[in-house]
Amino acid sequence: MSTIEIRGLTFTYPGAREATLRNVNVTFGEGDFIALVGNNGCGKSTLCKTLNGLIPHFIVGDMSGQVLVDGRDTKELEIGTLAAKVGYVYQDFENQIVCPTVREDASYACLNYAMKDYQEKGRKALTVCGLSSKISDYVWQLSGGQKHLLALAGMAALSPDILILDEPIAQLDPAHADGIYEVLKKLNEKYNKTIIVIEHHTEYIARYCRNVVLLKNGTVKWKLPAEEAMRRVDELQESNIFPPQVTIAANRMVKEGILPEETVLPVSIQEGKEIFGPWIKEKDQKRRNSEVKKKDEVMASFQNITVRYRSVKGEAPKILDDFSLDIRKGEKIALIGSNGAGKSTMLKLLMGLVHPESGTVKVKGKPVRNMSKEELGHTMSLVYQNPEEMFIKDSIRKDIEYAMKVRKIENYQERTEELLAMFRLSDLADRDGRLLSGGQMRRASLAIGIALNPEMLLLDEPTANLDIATRREIMRTLQMLKGITDTVIIATHDMQLVCDWAERIIVLSAGYVIADGPREQVFSDMYVRGQVGIRPPQIYDMGRGLGIVDSCFTIDDFMDHFRDRNREENREKDRGEKYA
Amino acid sequence: MHKLTENILDKLTIDYLRNQVLKNAYGNDDTVIAKLDPRVLLIWYLFFGLVPWFLNDVALLLGLFLFVVMTTRAARIAPLVLFLFCVGVFSQTGYLFIVALFFGGNAETIAPLLVMTLKVAVVSLASITVFSGLDPDRLANGMLWFGCPGQLSFSISFAYRILPVLMEEFQNILLSFRLRGNPPQKKTFIGKIRYLGYQIKMIIQSFYPLMLNTAKRSRTTVEALELRGYRYSLQNPEVKRMKLAMLRVTRQDMIFVVISIIWVAVCVAISAALQDML
Amino acid sequence: MNPDNKITQSQKMMVFVLSMSLYGLATLFTELIPSFQVGIVEFSVEYFLFIPLTLAMLFDPLSAAIGAAAGELVFSEIMLGQFGGLGELEKFITVTIGVYIAGRLVKDPRRRGVVAAASIIGVAVQQLMGCVVDILKVQFAVEDFEAVAGLPQSVFFTEGFACLNDILFSGILFCMLPTMYLVPKLYGKIEPLLGMKPRDEKTVFSGENSLSPKIIIMSIIGFAAAIVAELLASGGYELIDWEAAWAGSTTNIIIAIIIAAVVALVAIGVIRNRAAQAER
């Protein structure tokens, strides 16, 4: 079994002015389960790349200090020897998979290092990762979650003592995310591997990890046991890490004097029950459930749609089966459901990118099939999941103005400047979209999406792959759309976004609508929750756990039940502040 | 010609192309051909790819042609690829024929050209059978066995992995252009030409984002390859031996070879008989 | 640090992968869409050559050139089964040489003039070599080439015209202009994505001339190999056939086939032996 010891490590990328890592000193013990946290650009990924020898063996740069794996300096170890000790799964796992079939990819590394039983090793790793039924599949047939597991299996096959994963659940729905962490837990407990994850989903950290290392400005601020780390709410928030909602709620309640000063902050719902329980003021329903206001004008409608995809082999699978739905003007719709439930297909149908086998899709009463792409482009706009595919020009300004310019819209330059200012992109206007940070890219893609003032906006996973601070920023941006584009449909896994923003939630499962209504209704329906693996924000479950009748979708909703008076006023005030 | 072009361009959406390519690349891994030993197939190809070049007997060539048509059928090749094959073969020699007529050739010119067409057809179909019909990893291993560099077999296997990803990305980028762009009207003839020009410009421009996005990808890929010991495998002959160890000539291979030999023998006999009759 | 800005092995590999996937994808599409003509302009595979040309001017030219050739071979030839056997070697070598030379000529990718000149030279080199090989090929492949009325003239005319047309018209429209558009645009943006410094006079070719005699000689040798490969592939065996004046009798055809089979097997044996020796 291996330990990692880092002594005085400083690293500067070639051409960079400042060091990315500064005098890092830390030890990772054997059999540990560690979360590495810190804000964007604090050097988390760089630190991990020093552990597996990518730095300094392949990425040249200025490195001083030592990284010792099992007491041996990585500088002197061969990359092959190191690979057998330290496995690394990229955040960009899709590009880590290099073979066309699952079987080959799992055993690829073992074969390359000339291990006699490479096939056996690959098969075993697939079994551990729960992919044994997919062994004969092609990689492109897998879902996102399965690909991530395959990337993990490809590394685990070498049976390294240490496994490093960079943001393993960023793009996954909760059910698949749980799947990944259960595999990691098994590897950790049963096979005694050291697991290091870069993670910002603190609920998972609290549930699975043993220790947390906080990196700030390229140096280790502290290393603490997970529960204790989660309780350092203020320090974490400074680094844009948001501890579990129950912890934040408790922290705020201590500050407001609702909970006593010496309260040990809870990090899970279980602990929350004990701590919040005695202090609750009222459990009754005071608030009226929000309702979907029946709006009259139908914006778009799906009538008995059946869609199949062209299959490569055998019977073409049905994505949607006899599917009907109306979308009214002015609705804010969240489309949820597990990966592959048909969410993206719905958006594509609206844009006329996919045509149904039977049935009609109508937009403003006109069948989509009879409308030209340009006509559709005026009514609707689709923002892809991957913003990089929205950038077709070499600067954001050109990208935003492109659609207006080619349509010869007057004053397009002014409108572009307006949009740039509105999305706080003016300073970045001449940079290439792809070279921006994740949040900036999203904002830019939204600006491109609404450039033509579409009546309806379709967003595919607008918060995927973003850390929580950036997600909040995107939510604020969505609020700004009010008044410009009033009908918005978002396909997403992000339940916080759903709770904060959506007025109508449509739940898809295997091509059927299994729930359709306001958030209270959808989330309280346990059957629906079980079916699609959706999970409301932790604070909602906390409220339920305490027997509060109202649905708590935000920490403020929750805290209202602990306050004495002027509850309504307080809440209004808080709302105001939140979006200020 | 222009009409035809127009027609083809309208039908061939990127989505359709993508599906056909995927079908051809991944959809036929359970056929008789795909299960054969790649080395046997490559040797078989060496025969059917070389011998027709120095045969001039129409009957014999026709016999071989029929045989490769059957193997192509057995390999379940995507229709588009077959269509392309036909267009390719007949435009190659047909074109030459017309020009030859123009320069004062006559009907006699057609005979050598017909023979040449048959030659090309046999060789092409044999190559389609082998290279489209085989599994990517088996093909890569087969080539490795014949001494092709390890890089080539990596390229084959990687190409099959990356193709669907790249196609999807290309499709999405083109879509961005289509949804946001404003192509010229294609009602008039001039409009059609301008429309075609617009399309070509769009495709060229879409390589700007595609290059940058792919550059991002390939960095991760190469780093992952380093970690997963790709370079070791190139230097270590043991790895090659292990890869090749899974190749085995089975009874199916023998049956295939025997059928091929009998077929060729029968064809030779028939052609000989025909010649005697004349 | 990396003071002399040498390109590392893995960076070369990145350029190879990049060039292979992009050019491969492009040739796959052009292979699928049959070439068609508008007036005198013919649209076909060669015109996506701007992709490897651009990459060769920005990064290591040799990796980009070999990557492009490999991409075409794997994606369009092998994947679609359009593999022409040994004959593919010709395309492989000419594309590599053309792209490589063009890439070597550019020292500062920001200068559009140089980029334009280099790309058109690259195309011309590639096309001319292709043209020569094509003419020789038909000469060998068609029995009694000289005897068929009108054939020699038509071949020289069509091939020559196609070549000139390709270089002047299509080469400018579809190779030079896109390369001129892309290279300066990508310069300084794409390199950091691969963890490299943008090319300038100091970085890529330390001290060497852009077109040293060594490179020219290597190119010529490569071209000769291409011709030999192509002729071997399509017509070479016909020589034996022809001189022996065998054609006609069935027995002779059978003998020919057997000889061919034996030659094929011997060839395999030789290749195997070589490979085995290389392993040791």
Side-chain angles (χ1 to χ4, degrees):
Chain A
M1 284 295 119
S2 302
T3 54
I4 297 181
E5 204 184 333
I6 300 174
R7 289 187 200 148
L9 177 67
T10 299
F11 180 78
T12 315
Y13 278 105
R17 242 175 253 150
E18 279 180 48
T20 309
L21 295 176
R22 275 177 236 181
N23 195 21
V24 174
N25 287 296
V26 70
T27 310
F28 301 128
E30 65 174 77
D32 206 348
F33 200 140
I34 299 166
L36 209 53
V37 299
N39 56 354
N40 289 342
C42 70
K44 288 171 295 188
S45 299
T46 311
L47 181 63
C48 288
K49 286 183 184 175
T50 61
L51 302 185
N52 61 8
L54 267 179
I55 298 174
H57 288 281
F58 293 111
I59 301 170
V60 283
D62 204 0
M63 177 173 160
S64 63
Q66 276 184 313
V67 179
L68 303 173
V69 175
D70 266 351
R72 293 179 64 190
D73 197 327
T74 54
K75 265 183 225 158
E76 281 136 36
L77 281 172
E78 289 254 358
I79 194 96
T81 326
L82 256 177
K85 286 183 185 295
V86 186
Y88 185 77
V89 180
Y90 283 80
Q91 181 180 8
D92 180 17
F93 57 88
E94 171 97 43
N95 297 316
Q96 184 174 0
I97 301 169
V98 290
C99 298
T101 65
V102 173
R103 177 187 286 120
E104 279 175 89
D105 198 76
S107 52
Y108 184 71
C110 296
L111 175 62
N112 283 341
Y113 290 117
M115 300 179 181
K116 283 269 176 315
D117 52 344
Y118 67 100
Q119 281 182 319
E120 185 51 40
K121 283 203 158 120
R123 206 172 306 132
K124 217 174 126 196
L126 286 175
T127 312
V128 171
C129 296
L131 280 178
S132 44
S133 60
K134 302 275 171 197
I135 191 160
S136 308
D137 284 11
Y138 284 105
V139 171
W140 57 267
Q141 292 172 311
L142 302 183
S143 71
Q146 289 167 337
K147 276 184 204 160
H148 219 141
L149 283 170
L150 176 59
L152 176 59
M155 276 300 155
L158 281 172
S159 56
D161 299 328
I162 301 153
L163 275 167
I164 306 171
L165 291 96
D166 197 343
E167 309 233 358
I169 58 171
Q171 298 174 18
L172 302 181
D173 63 54
H176 286 93
D178 286 359
I180 294 254
Y181 266 96
E182 285 302 325
V183 168
L184 291 180
K185 193 177 164 189
K186 188 159 73 177
L187 283 168
N188 178 248
E189 287 172 3
K190 200 166 154 200
Y191 299 93
N192 203 23
K193 309 275 182 211
T194 308
I195 311 279
I196 302 174
V197 288
I198 297 179
E199 186 58 85
H200 56 248
H201 291 86
T202 46
E203 286 163 39
Y204 283 91
I205 297 180
R207 236 163 87 198
Y208 291 99
C209 300
R210 245 171 260 142
N211 286 300
V212 176
V213 171
L214 176 70
L215 271 183
K216 202 170 179 190
N217 298 329
T219 190
V220 173
K221 208 155 173 221
W222 42 250
K223 182 185 166 195
L224 291 169
E227 295 197 351
E228 213 181 313
M230 289 300 108
R231 290 186 186 115
R232 302 222 172 171
V233 176
D234 297 329
E235 261 179 290
L236 289 175
Q237 288 193 333
E238 261 172 50
S239 286
N240 275 331
I241 313 289
F242 291 83
Q245 284 183 314
V246 288
T247 321
I248 298 183
N251 187 47
R252 282 177 57 185
M253 282 152 84
V254 169
K255 282 184 185 159
E256 271 186 37
I258 298 173
L259 294 180
E261 198 72 29
E262 67 281 359
T263 309
V264 177
L265 302 182
V267 296
S268 68
I269 292 177
Q270 211 50 44
E271 289 177 28
K273 273 187 191 162
E274 286 164 30
I275 288 161
F276 292 122
W279 305 93
I280 196 155
K281 288 278 185 325
E282 50 190 322
K283 294 182 176 179
D284 313 335
Q285 182 165 27
K286 284 281 167 145
R287 229 171 329 130
R288 289 221 336 262
N289 281 349
S290 54
E291 270 173 28
V292 175
K293 287 158 250 159
K294 279 284 172 211
K295 286 153 184 158
D296 307 325
E297 198 183 330
V298 174
M299 190 69 196
S301 67
F302 295 86
Q303 293 163 356
N304 309 88
I305 303 290
T306 300
V307 181
R308 274 177 212 274
Y309 265 162
R310 286 195 173 115
S311 76
V312 164
K313 213 160 41 179
E315 175 85 350
K318 278 184 188 172
I319 306 286
L320 296 175
D321 193 3
D322 200 21
F323 174 87
S324 297
L325 192 72
D326 277 343
I327 288 158
R328 295 190 168 74
K329 198 170 165 56
E331 283 186 320
K332 306 219 170 328
I333 299 176
L335 210 54
I336 59 178
S338 56
N339 296 338
K343 299 184 303 259
S344 303
T345 308
M346 255 186 78
L347 302 186
K348 283 182 184 161
L349 279 166
L350 279 173
M351 293 305 291
L353 305 176
V354 172
H355 289 300
E357 195 176 88
S358 62
T360 351
V361 185
K362 285 185 179 169
V363 170
K364 294 177 90 179
K366 227 172 146 187
V368 169
R369 213 182 253 278
N370 301 343
M371 294 167 84
S372 69
K373 287 274 169 308
E374 293 68 41
E375 202 179 338
L376 279 167
H378 254 295
T379 325
M380 270 184 303
S381 174
L382 169 68
V383 177
Y384 302 152
Q385 178 172 2
N386 182 359
E388 289 167 21
E389 287 161 359
M390 301 278 292
F391 303 131
I392 51 181
K393 295 279 158 186
D394 61 351
S395 74
I396 296 181
R397 183 194 313 260
K398 285 187 194 159
D399 261 321
I400 295 176
E401 70 181 20
Y402 176 71
M404 297 186 277
K405 198 172 162 185
V406 293
R407 286 180 173 73
K408 303 195 175 64
I409 289 172
E410 278 176 50
N411 304 331
Y412 73 88
Q413 277 140 327
E414 283 166 37
R415 166 116 177 105
T416 307
E417 290 308 323
E418 269 172 41
L419 282 168
L420 283 169
M422 182 176 155
F423 288 90
R424 287 177 291 121
L425 295 165
S426 301
D427 298 339
L428 309 165
D430 295 314
R431 295 202 21 213
D432 191 292
R434 268 159 279 275
L435 306 178
L436 302 178
S437 74
Q440 292 164 340
M441 271 204 263
R442 291 284 170 183
R443 289 206 311 260
S445 68
L446 283 175
I448 295 168
I450 64 163
L452 287 176
N453 276 329
E455 290 169 63
M456 186 153 69
L457 184 63
L458 315 175
L459 305 173
D460 199 352
E461 298 279 359
T463 55
N465 275 335
L466 297 180
D467 63 33
I468 290 170
T470 323
R471 273 154 75 180
R472 297 201 165 179
E473 202 185 319
I474 296 300
M475 279 189 227
R476 277 200 296 276
T477 315
L478 286 177
Q479 301 292 339
M480 293 187 330
L481 293 180
K482 274 181 185 157
I484 304 174
T485 298
D486 46 358
T487 315
V488 182
I489 305 179
I490 298 184
T492 187
H493 293 313
D494 182 349
M495 292 305 148
Q496 196 60 54
L497 169 71
V498 174
C499 291
D500 286 355
W501 171 87
E503 290 169 1
R504 178 180 171 193
I505 301 174
I506 297 170
V507 187
L508 287 182
S509 175
Y512 295 97
V513 174
I514 58 168
D516 180 356
R519 54 190 189 180
E520 288 82 0
Q521 184 193 324
V522 169
F523 283 123
S524 61
D525 192 340
M526 290 310 278
Y527 167 74
V528 170
R529 287 176 55 180
Q531 277 277 306
V532 288
I534 59 172
R535 183 174 300 148
Q538 190 187 30
I539 204 73
Y540 176 91
D541 281 340
M542 189 68 250
R544 289 259 139 172
L546 289 170
I548 297 172
V549 178
D550 274 345
S551 302
C552 304
F553 289 105
T554 62
I555 293 172
D556 291 295
D557 287 348
F558 179 76
M559 282 169 63
D560 283 344
H561 292 271
F562 294 83
R563 288 174 180 141
D564 293 321
R565 59 198 162 77
N566 298 339
R567 210 182 68 196
E568 294 302 317
E569 274 172 41
N570 265 340
R571 201 152 54 86
E572 288 310 310
K573 208 183 79 200
D574 284 338
R575 276 270 160 81
E577 274 168 8
K578 208 165 88 193
Y579 299 124
Chain B
M1 186 66 199
H2 190 78
K3 196 88 188 162
L4 181 76
T5 308
E6 187 93 357
N7 222 338
I8 291 169
L9 274 186
D10 281 349
K11 287 223 176 73
L12 294 183
T13 57
I14 298 274
D15 197 41
Y16 176 71
L17 289 185
R18 176 165 172 245
N19 181 259
Q20 287 286 307
V21 170
L22 291 185
K23 230 180 187 148
N24 195 50
Y26 311 101
N28 47 12
D29 56 358
D30 51 358
T31 60
V32 183
I33 299 290
K35 292 215 173 75
L36 295 176
D37 188 291
R39 294 166 299 178
V40 172
L41 267 182
L42 284 170
I43 294 172
W44 181 88
Y45 169 68
L46 216 57
F47 181 84
F48 280 87
L50 279 179
V51 168
W53 286 117
F54 58 97
L55 292 179
N56 286 313
D57 187 294
V58 178
L60 183 51
L61 278 172
L62 264 176
L64 294 184
F65 178 70
L66 277 180
F67 185 61
V68 286
V69 165
M70 284 191 296
T71 57
T72 314
R73 225 188 119 66
R76 248 195 276 140
I77 304 299
L80 181 67
V81 174
L82 290 181
F83 170 72
L84 287 174
F85 151 78
C86 296
V87 171
V89 166
F90 290 99
S91 76
Q92 238 179 31
T93 47
Y95 183 45
L96 213 58
F97 175 64
I98 292 168
V99 183
L101 273 183
F102 182 76
F103 276 93
N106 50 37
E108 272 170 38
T109 320
I110 202 170
L113 283 176
L114 180 71
V115 170
M116 191 167 151
T117 307
L118 267 177
K119 288 181 188 181
V120 173
V122 172
V123 172
S124 306
L125 281 180
S127 113
I128 288 179
T129 304
V130 173
F131 292 99
S132 282
L134 265 178
D135 239 18
D137 61 321
R138 289 173 70 82
L139 176 63
N141 283 341
M143 307 269 274
L144 198 64
W145 190 85
F146 283 107
C148 287
Q151 284 91 338
L152 181 69
S153 77
F154 161 75
S155 299
I156 293 176
S157 144
F158 182 70
Y160 276 85
R161 158 78 189 103
I162 203 73
L163 179 72
V165 180
L166 272 179
M167 279 204 161
E168 178 147 9
E169 181 140 339
F170 187 52
Q171 205 178 354
N172 281 341
I173 288 171
L174 276 182
L175 207 62
S176 287
F177 271 103
R178 271 175 72 197
L179 291 178
R180 278 148 65 192
N182 192 15
Q185 286 293 323
K186 48 174 178 175
K187 296 259 153 54
T188 61
F189 181 72
I190 302 280
K192 273 177 186 159
I193 299 238
R194 281 181 50 202
Y195 182 76
L196 196 67
Y198 175 83
Q199 295 281 345
I200 291 166
K201 212 174 130 194
M202 197 174 80
I203 289 177
I204 289 175
Q205 282 178 344
S206 64
F207 271 89
Y208 167 75
L210 198 61
M211 274 184 180
L212 286 170
N213 292 353
T214 316
K216 261 188 177 175
R217 281 175 193 291
S218 56
R219 186 169 186 185
T220 313
T221 303
V222 170
E223 278 182 16
L225 279 173
E226 298 288 5
L227 287 179
R228 302 177 73 185
Y230 165 70
R231 199 161 320 144
Y232 271 75
S233 73
L234 290 184
Q235 291 156 359
N236 192 347
E238 184 59 30
V239 174
K240 192 172 157 184
R241 224 164 288 144
M242 279 164 60
K243 268 189 201 167
L244 299 181
M246 65 184 209
L247 296 178
R248 249 180 220 112
V249 178
T250 61
R251 227 171 84 194
Q252 274 192 332
D253 296 305
M254 295 324 291
I255 294 173
F256 180 73
V257 169
V258 168
I259 292 177
S260 302
I261 290 174
I262 292 177
W263 185 279
V264 173
V266 169
C267 285
V268 170
I270 291 175
S271 111
L274 280 175
Q275 229 143 45
D276 286 348
M277 266 163 43
L278 294 174
Chain C
M1 278 304 278
N2 188 12
D4 34 335
N5 284 309
K6 280 253 171 63
I7 306 167
T8 63
Q9 278 299 321
S10 51
Q11 285 169 341
K12 280 185 185 168
M13 181 81 187
M14 284 177 209
V15 177
F16 175 85
V17 167
L18 185 61
S19 175
M20 180 183 91
S21 352
L22 286 173
Y23 191 57
L25 181 75
T27 54
L28 187 74
F29 279 115
T30 46
E31 194 83 19
L32 286 174
I33 304 167
S35 66
F36 53 90
Q37 287 185 304
V38 176
I40 50 166
V41 191
E42 191 193 359
F43 299 87
S44 66
V45 178
E46 283 74 20
Y47 311 117
F48 275 104
L49 208 61
F50 72 86
I51 297 165
L53 282 175
T54 305
L55 293 173
M57 288 174 196
L58 292 168
F59 302 110
D60 176 43
L62 191 61
S63 312
I66 295 179
E72 180 170 359
L73 183 72
V74 171
F75 278 79
S76 75
E77 315 293 339
I78 291 183
M79 237 180 219
L80 290 182
Q82 316 277 334
F83 190 68
L86 210 49
E88 296 301 338
L89 207 58
E90 171 243 324
K91 224 182 211 166
F92 191 96
I93 293 172
T94 56
V95 167
T96 309
I97 294 175
V99 172
Y100 179 66
I101 287 179
R104 292 287 304 197
L105 286 172
V106 178
K107 277 189 175 161
D108 183 358
R110 275 164 299 190
R111 287 166 59 192
R112 276 176 200 259
V114 179
V115 169
S119 57
I120 205 76
I121 290 173
V123 175
V125 167
Q126 197 260 334
Q127 287 289 339
L128 279 174
M129 288 190 291
C131 174
V132 170
V133 172
D134 275 350
I135 292 176
L136 290 176
K137 186 167 78 178
V138 181
Q139 211 151 16
F140 279 104
V142 177
E143 198 189 11
D144 300 333
F145 178 74
E146 302 287 334
V148 179
L151 195 56
Q153 291 92 326
S154 65
V155 168
F156 284 124
F157 176 76
T158 50
E159 290 295 339
F161 176 76
C163 174
L164 205 67
N165 173 36
D166 282 349
I167 296 171
L168 289 183
F169 207 88
S170 318
I172 291 176
L173 261 182
F174 301 108
C175 280
M176 195 181 93
L177 293 180
T179 315
M180 273 171 74
Y181 162 83
L182 281 170
V183 170
K185 252 185 197 240
L186 288 168
Y187 183 78
K189 276 187 194 143
I190 196 168
E191 294 91 343
L193 292 178
L194 297 186
M196 296 180 209
K197 275 194 178 167
R199 178 190 286 196
D200 58 37
E201 262 142 66
K202 277 167 273 168
T203 45
V204 181
F205 326 110
S206 39
E208 267 182 79
N209 274 328
S210 51
L211 269 188
S212 64
K214 195 176 126 202
I215 290 164
I216 294 175
I217 291 168
M218 289 302 283
S219 301
I220 292 171
I221 292 173
F223 180 45
I227 295 178
V228 171
E230 182 66 37
L231 294 185
L232 268 182
S234 54
Y237 290 97
E238 200 133 10
L239 284 176
I240 310 165
D241 188 30
W242 195 355
E243 280 175 17
W246 271 357
S249 124
T250 326
T251 3
N252 288 346
I253 291 176
I254 296 170
I255 294 168
I257 289 177
I258 293 168
I259 289 177
V262 169
V263 167
L265 286 173
V266 167
I268 293 159
V270 170
I271 294 171
R272 277 297 290 158
N273 248 334
R274 289 249 178 88
Q277 267 169 6
E279 267 173 39
R280 266 176 239 127

